[in-house]
Amino acid sequence: MSAGRGALRGGRTALRRARPLPRGLGLLLVLLIWEGAARATAGSFIIAAPSQIVAYAANNAGLLWRALGTTLASAALGFFWGNLAGVLLALLAVLLPRGERLLSTLALLVFCLPLVATGPILRVLYGPGSGPQVTLAALAVYYTTFLPVLVGLRAAPQGWFDLLRSYGRGRMIALREVRLPAALPYLVAGLQIAAPAAFLGAMVGEFTGAERGLGVLTVRALRALDLPATWAIAVIAAGVSMLAFAAVGALGRRLDLAPPEVLMAPPVARGRRVWDAPAQALLALGVTLLIWKGSMELFGVPRFFAKRPEDVWSYLVTGAGAGAQRARLFGALGETLALAGPGYLAGLGLGAGLALLLTLLPRLARVVLPLSIALRSIPIIATGPLIVWAFGRGTAGTITVVAVMIFFPTLIACQHGLARTPRAVLDLFDVYAASPLRRLLGAQLPAMLPAFFASARMAIPAAILAVTTAEWLATGRGIGALMATVASTSDYGMLWSAIALVGLAAVLAHALVAALERAVLARTSAEQLVR
């Protein structure tokens, strides 16, 4: 947050010196350029002109207000419950360090459930009402809060814990006096990332059979190729998300979150046995299957649409036609992963690169941050088809959708990480008159790494969400399109098999990133590995 404030202060100072344009004139110029671009590309059905958007909003103001109120109510409830669950999970992981891997795996698996698949299932389970919208909004945010808070709970000087132990204090006192204050800035970052995500989750819930809300209007607009309506809904969604983002940021600034003291921890001993990781993976798999089957049996959910683990095994391995079904599923998954991987790396690199660039050139923050927030705030349900229309239904369009979905959380997380560079370390570099680049590489980049790896883990399910949504709504290929098709034809065996396979792929990718994270942080931020 300090870097962001510094960037904004730097931007204001620069504008005063340069005698900026009268207030509002810059916005007017942007709207004129936007209007001209829309008129020039009217035949391509990509951009709606501001005048068309305003006309649609004016003619349908009552409808839009009612829809916005419905979606906001679901998003607010989901935001509350999802963030509460994320914080409680992080606290549990710190208080029970031996169970952290299991908790993290289960949390990841639930977060990786594709919205395109879980939406119809939740609609069947809940029936009419706002239950699916609230649940999907909560599912969309809890993991993006869980990971930053977990990083923050560990971002405290080891000496403070030693001091508490010397007075005979236990884990709960350390949690209250040391870990919770250290986690507060990371909680603010998580809440800022969660604000647009909750709105997106609520809209996706409405997308799967609700009667009212902005998601319902989006479906109608997309099916009718009503460009002004689609853009009007996107602008409203972006405006609401930006307001929520700014409100959380303002709350964080009021808390006056100072950088921490120097974080020092002894190197972590490599005492892990070779079978620890496979054993923990098997334990996580067993618990997952137990919860999956147990919850179905406990609630007596009909087997017709709520498949158990043995049903998926039979569908893919031992049942009639298993070979053909397996080939169809793995073929679709291959198409999806081939696009999700490059998009994931592009979004991650863009987000981290922008955060570093804004540290060196803080004046750019005044331009880059609002654009970034707007791009991420517009729900992917609206931006996905527009991006694919603009870049085509091939590789470039889908990769761009994934990168757009990922880069904003990475940018925000990395900016918060850069701002957590200990003041004493920065002062030391200032004493030696180090250049900004030297200070960035020597002090701020290592401080950013825990946040970067947290965002890299967060980005895995986000990439899956983005690519499956793009396939569902625009490209008609890959596992996203397959899940949408089989959901509409009640082929729940294929649907649950796809969910299980996507979850497994996400867990494997997460394990790869976690291994890389552990290797890097052992050298730069050992306090994050202390259990």
Side-chain angles (χ1 to χ4, degrees):
M1 292 302 301
S2 299
R5 287 201 304 270
L8 290 176
R9 282 196 296 269
R12 292 190 193 103
T13 305
L15 284 178
R16 285 191 205 103
R17 289 173 182 167
R19 297 183 181 278
L21 296 172
R23 187 183 295 275
L25 188 55
L27 177 61
L28 181 61
L29 286 174
V30 170
L31 290 176
L32 286 174
I33 294 172
W34 181 356
E35 182 81 22
R39 299 290 177 189
T41 60
S44 61
F45 296 99
I46 294 176
I47 306 174
S51 58
Q52 294 174 308
I53 296 171
V54 171
Y56 176 86
N59 293 332
N60 300 275
L63 177 65
L64 290 173
W65 273 114
R66 289 192 297 275
L68 176 61
T70 301
T71 306
L72 265 181
S74 300
L77 283 173
F79 181 82
F80 173 77
W81 290 115
N83 283 304
L84 181 62
V87 172
L88 291 178
L89 275 175
L91 293 175
L92 200 57
V94 168
L95 291 175
L96 302 171
R98 290 182 181 276
E100 183 198 329
R101 189 177 295 271
L102 177 61
L103 271 175
S104 298
T105 303
L106 293 176
L108 174 68
L109 277 172
V110 174
F111 192 64
C112 285
L113 296 177
L115 297 182
V116 60
T118 52
I121 292 171
L122 288 173
R123 179 60 62 190
V124 173
L125 293 176
Y126 277 104
S130 62
Q133 295 91 298
V134 174
T135 303
L136 287 178
L139 288 175
V141 305
Y142 82 96
Y143 195 70
T144 59
T145 300
F146 165 64
L147 281 182
V149 172
L150 187 57
V151 171
L153 288 170
R154 292 175 182 148
Q158 190 60 34
W160 294 0
F161 297 108
D162 295 338
L163 181 63
L164 286 175
R165 275 195 290 270
S166 71
Y167 281 93
R169 305 302 184 190
R171 287 179 178 272
M172 294 305 294
I173 298 296
L175 177 68
R176 189 185 68 196
E177 301 295 335
V178 177
R179 294 192 186 276
L180 286 178
L184 204 50
Y186 295 84
L187 174 62
V188 172
L191 294 179
Q192 281 192 297
I193 295 169
F199 205 78
L200 166 66
M203 288 187 69
V204 171
E206 294 166 350
F207 212 37
T208 58
E211 297 177 350
R212 58 182 68 88
L214 286 179
V216 177
L217 296 185
T218 304
V219 175
R220 293 176 185 168
L222 289 172
R223 287 177 178 168
L225 295 178
D226 189 342
L227 207 57
T230 304
W231 274 80
I233 295 167
V235 168
I236 291 171
V240 170
S241 298
M242 290 171 74
L243 284 175
F245 181 91
V248 176
L251 175 65
R253 287 191 292 275
R254 286 184 66 84
L255 293 175
D256 193 22
L257 305 171
E261 302 294 332
V262 178
L263 304 180
M264 295 185 69
V268 178
R270 295 179 177 273
R272 300 181 65 193
R273 293 162 296 191
V274 291
W275 59 81
D276 278 353
Q280 289 174 347
L282 285 176
L283 176 63
L285 177 64
V287 172
T288 302
L289 295 178
L290 193 63
I291 293 175
W292 179 357
K293 183 173 175 59
S295 59
M296 297 292 179
E297 300 297 342
L298 180 65
F299 294 104
V301 186
R303 205 171 194 123
F304 169 69
F305 67 88
K307 301 297 182 185
R308 278 60 167 175
E310 63 268 26
D311 297 326
V312 171
W313 179 262
S314 172
Y315 189 85
L316 290 179
V317 180
T318 60
Q325 288 150 187
R326 205 165 50 241
R328 184 184 180 198
L329 181 59
F330 278 91
L333 181 66
E335 285 185 314
T336 298
L337 294 182
L339 299 177
Y344 171 82
L345 294 176
L348 211 59
L350 183 61
L354 265 178
L356 295 173
L357 183 64
L358 294 182
T359 303
L360 292 174
L361 304 170
R363 293 175 186 176
L364 284 180
R366 191 178 179 88
V367 176
V368 172
L369 282 181
L371 284 176
S372 304
I373 296 169
L375 267 179
R376 180 60 181 87
S377 301
I378 300 172
I380 195 164
I381 290 174
T383 54
L386 292 175
I387 291 173
V388 172
W389 287 341
F391 289 89
R393 292 176 178 270
T395 303
T398 308
I399 289 177
T400 305
V401 170
V402 178
V404 166
M405 189 76 175
I406 286 174
F407 96 94
F408 175 72
T410 306
L411 168 64
I412 298 304
C414 289
Q415 278 203 307
H416 279 269
L418 288 164
R420 305 308 298 162
T421 308
R423 185 68 253 173
V425 176
L426 294 177
D427 290 342
L428 182 64
F429 276 77
D430 289 342
V431 166
Y432 285 96
S435 68
L437 182 60
R438 183 73 186 88
R439 192 169 73 158
L440 177 69
L441 297 178
Q444 293 168 298
L445 183 59
M448 185 195 82
L449 288 176
F452 171 76
F453 279 107
S455 64
R457 286 188 280 154
M458 278 193 293
I460 293 169
I464 291 173
L465 167 66
V467 74
T468 52
T469 304
E471 291 168 343
W472 171 28
L473 296 175
T475 68
R477 295 195 298 270
I479 207 163
L482 176 65
M483 287 191 286
T485 302
V486 298
S488 64
T489 57
S490 302
D491 186 355
Y492 292 109
M494 179 62 82
L495 183 62
W496 281 89
S497 300
I499 293 173
L501 201 58
V502 167
L504 184 61
V507 169
L508 291 176
H510 188 275
L512 186 63
V513 173
L516 181 62
E517 176 185 30
R518 188 172 182 83
V520 174
L521 295 190
R523 295 174 174 273
T524 62
S525 308
E527 78 281 353
Q528 292 292 330
L529 305 180
V530 174
R531 299 292 187 266

